[in-house]
Amino acid sequence: MVSQSSAQTLNPRTVHREFFGAPGALAVMTGTVSVVFVWYFSCNPHVGCRLPTTHEQWSHILRGAFNYHDYLSSTALAAYTMWWTWLAFLYFVLPASVIQGVELRDGSRLKYPINGLSSFVVTLVVALVAYTQWGTEPFVWIADHYFHLAVSSLLFATTQALFVYTYSFRRSSVMLALAGNSGNPIYDFFIGRELNPRVGALDLKFFCELRPGIMGWVLLNTSFAIRQYTQFGSVSNSMWLAIVPQIAYCIDTLVFERNVLTTMDIVTDGFGWMLSFGDLTWVPVMYSLQARFLAFHPVHHSSPMAAFIAVLAVASFLVFRLSNSEKNAFRTDPNDPAVRHLKYITTESGSKLLVSGWWGMARHINYTGDWFFGLAQCLAAGFETPMTYFFAVYFLVLLLHRNYRDECKCRDKYKKDWIRYCEQVPYLFIPYVI
């Protein structure tokens, strides 16, 4: 049994609370769920896709939200539960290369099975078999029951968050997230109390990070493209421009699945409602907005416009992928021939900070590529409604917040070395601009 003093040393009480503590946590939870509802009831085949600016529109949204009998579906909830369970099953049964994560505060390292890509391939084969047996019907059902599935994922994500919060009290030796041990149940439930909740060998945070949501995003996009085809007889170039880059992005994250083990989500953040909802609901439901809009409102771009969007998507994706690959290669082996020519500064803590290559251009050059990549998919949906540009606006806010967290963390960790580093790499996102 761990003594009280040992537990306090391992899990110090959280002093700084992000999002202004419990009030901010409640605001974020209420706000993000509200966005999901507003964007559905304001953008669908029945009402078109218009920002709600009138009393009549808001009355329609509220009536729809309170009429829960129309979107609460035991069939959809069962389907979503089966989806999550299927991917958890593959997590265990498929061959995997097992690698260690970063060293934790107690000196231990957790092991993770890397088989996300093979899980995707097996799921793709099952989907193709379903298509040969039942044609487009299963995919059209998914597209037509999008909101039922969205609400089901919300219920599942919230239940999961309640479980991991309660589960974190099972023993005093459980390693808590440094930001999730405030003692306030609302805030800790939201931000995540336990750092790495595991049920048996299933690491819930790692599993949810890339599998149910990312693969669900691919499934939704595919279903919306099929829905457009069944209704209009063809798939528009705008739909291809929206979903092909997004599906490529999802596959890329699974190819480089091991890289997620060094991200802030895995290394420092607890697993609470914020990540549970974000992984299971927010990513697939809101990131598929362009495909959902185009499913009932096809847009046909001219060849020059289509070429511009495609070039922007490819170029920004290359910035994102090449910069991240360079960073990960350098972290893994600074003497690798591909990166040993890069210049860096060595901090007092022993860490090496790149000051040349991609990371000599800007301190968060990968965020720049990520944002322009998202903007390209928004452009694919055309200019008829600002609602389809939500992703670009939201992602900008998200990346600015991540930048703030990264800068604060590095400033505290590297101290005067961070000042020296910033002098050599003065730009945040775009060289010579900002």
Side-chain angles (χ1 to χ4, degrees):
M1 181 157 179
V2 178
S3 67
Q4 184 176 358
S5 60
S6 297
Q8 289 175 346
T9 301
L10 178 66
N11 298 313
R13 182 67 74 181
T14 300
V15 177
H16 171 70
R17 301 182 186 183
E18 296 185 53
F19 302 99
F20 304 102
L26 285 171
V28 171
M29 288 189 282
T30 303
T32 50
V33 172
S34 297
V35 165
V36 171
F37 276 70
V38 169
W39 252 253
Y40 172 71
F41 287 111
S42 300
C43 188
N44 62 65
H46 308 293
V47 300
C49 199
R50 297 178 299 154
L51 275 175
T53 57
T54 67
H55 174 74
E56 181 183 356
Q57 286 175 291
W58 281 107
S59 296
H60 167 74
I61 292 169
L62 291 173
R63 285 196 304 270
F66 282 110
N67 192 16
Y68 59 87
H69 294 291
D70 284 349
Y71 56 79
L72 284 182
S73 164
S74 58
T75 303
L77 183 58
Y80 186 83
T81 303
M82 289 173 61
W83 170 252
W84 189 98
T85 305
W86 161 253
L87 293 174
F89 170 74
L90 296 181
Y91 178 95
F92 286 107
V93 301
L94 291 181
S97 57
V98 179
I99 66 172
Q100 291 185 326
V102 300
E103 185 174 311
L104 302 177
R105 295 197 303 273
D106 61 358
S108 66
R109 290 175 181 266
L110 297 175
K111 293 181 179 181
Y112 298 89
I114 305 300
N115 60 5
L117 182 62
S118 56
S119 295
F120 175 79
V121 172
V122 170
T123 302
L124 176 61
V125 170
V126 171
L128 290 173
V129 170
Y131 178 77
T132 61
Q133 292 294 314
W134 299 290
T136 61
E137 184 179 349
F139 305 96
V140 171
W141 183 89
I142 290 171
D144 289 345
H145 291 81
Y146 152 85
F147 195 61
H148 301 81
L149 294 167
V151 173
S152 296
S153 72
L154 167 62
L155 295 174
F156 194 101
T158 302
T159 302
Q160 179 175 250
L162 285 168
F163 167 76
V164 293
Y165 175 74
T166 306
Y167 190 60
S168 69
F169 291 96
R170 63 192 180 278
R171 59 177 184 268
S172 59
S173 60
V174 167
M175 185 175 296
L176 306 181
L178 293 177
N181 189 27
S182 70
N184 183 292
I186 296 175
Y187 178 78
D188 292 346
F189 161 78
F190 167 76
I191 207 73
R193 190 169 185 269
E194 186 172 352
L195 183 61
N196 302 109
R198 290 190 164 199
V199 178
L202 178 63
D203 188 297
L204 288 169
K205 183 167 67 170
F206 172 68
F207 169 74
C208 290
E209 184 76 12
L210 296 184
R211 304 192 188 210
I214 291 292
M215 296 185 200
W217 183 9
V218 173
L219 181 58
L220 281 173
N221 275 352
T222 304
S223 299
F224 288 134
I226 291 173
R227 187 71 182 89
Q228 186 190 79
Y229 179 81
T230 59
Q231 183 172 350
F232 297 100
S234 64
V235 178
S236 64
N237 62 356
S238 58
M239 179 67 84
W240 290 117
L241 288 167
I243 70 170
V244 170
Q246 290 182 349
I247 292 174
Y249 181 89
C250 293
I251 294 173
D252 176 79
T253 62
L254 295 170
V255 170
F256 295 95
E257 182 180 17
R258 65 184 61 213
N259 293 349
V260 78
L261 298 179
T262 60
T263 62
M264 186 177 290
D265 284 0
I266 299 296
V267 175
T268 61
D269 289 346
F271 188 58
W273 190 90
M274 181 175 71
L275 284 182
S276 184
F277 169 80
D279 293 340
L280 302 189
T281 303
W282 189 258
V283 167
V285 170
M286 294 306 298
Y287 288 16
S288 61
L289 173 61
Q290 290 80 29
R292 182 168 69 84
F293 168 73
L294 293 169
F296 65 83
H297 189 93
V299 173
H300 301 279
H301 291 294
S302 66
S303 295
M305 185 62 183
F308 169 76
I309 295 171
V311 169
L312 178 62
V314 172
S316 54
F317 177 78
L318 287 175
V319 171
F320 168 78
R321 172 42 54 211
L322 293 175
S323 60
N324 277 327
S325 294
E326 181 183 80
K327 175 182 65 177
N328 289 316
F330 185 80
R331 281 179 174 177
T332 302
D333 181 10
N335 295 316
D336 186 304
V339 294
R340 65 185 178 191
H341 65 284
L342 297 174
K343 297 178 181 178
Y344 59 87
I345 63 173
T346 303
T347 66
E348 289 184 357
S349 65
S351 300
K352 295 179 174 65
L353 302 177
L354 287 170
V355 293
S356 68
W358 285 102
W359 299 91
M361 297 181 188
R363 300 201 292 274
H364 303 285
I365 190 73
N366 58 332
Y367 289 175
T368 304
D370 214 2
W371 186 78
F372 278 103
F373 184 70
L375 177 63
Q377 284 115 60
C378 294
L379 291 170
F383 304 98
E384 296 185 32
T385 173
M387 294 198 76
T388 53
Y389 284 80
F390 170 81
F391 179 80
V393 175
Y394 158 76
F395 211 46
L396 179 62
V397 173
L398 174 68
L399 293 179
L400 289 174
H401 178 252
R402 283 185 181 176
N403 167 73
Y404 171 76
R405 294 178 72 186
D406 291 346
E407 292 282 320
C408 290
K409 176 186 173 184
C410 292
R411 193 180 300 115
D412 291 341
K413 180 178 180 180
Y414 301 121
K415 298 179 173 61
K416 63 181 181 180
D417 289 320
W418 186 249
I419 298 174
R420 182 161 59 100
Y421 167 72
C422 291
E423 290 173 350
Q424 296 192 48
V425 188
Y427 300 103
L428 284 171
F429 303 112
I430 304 175
Y432 306 105
V433 178
I434 185 173

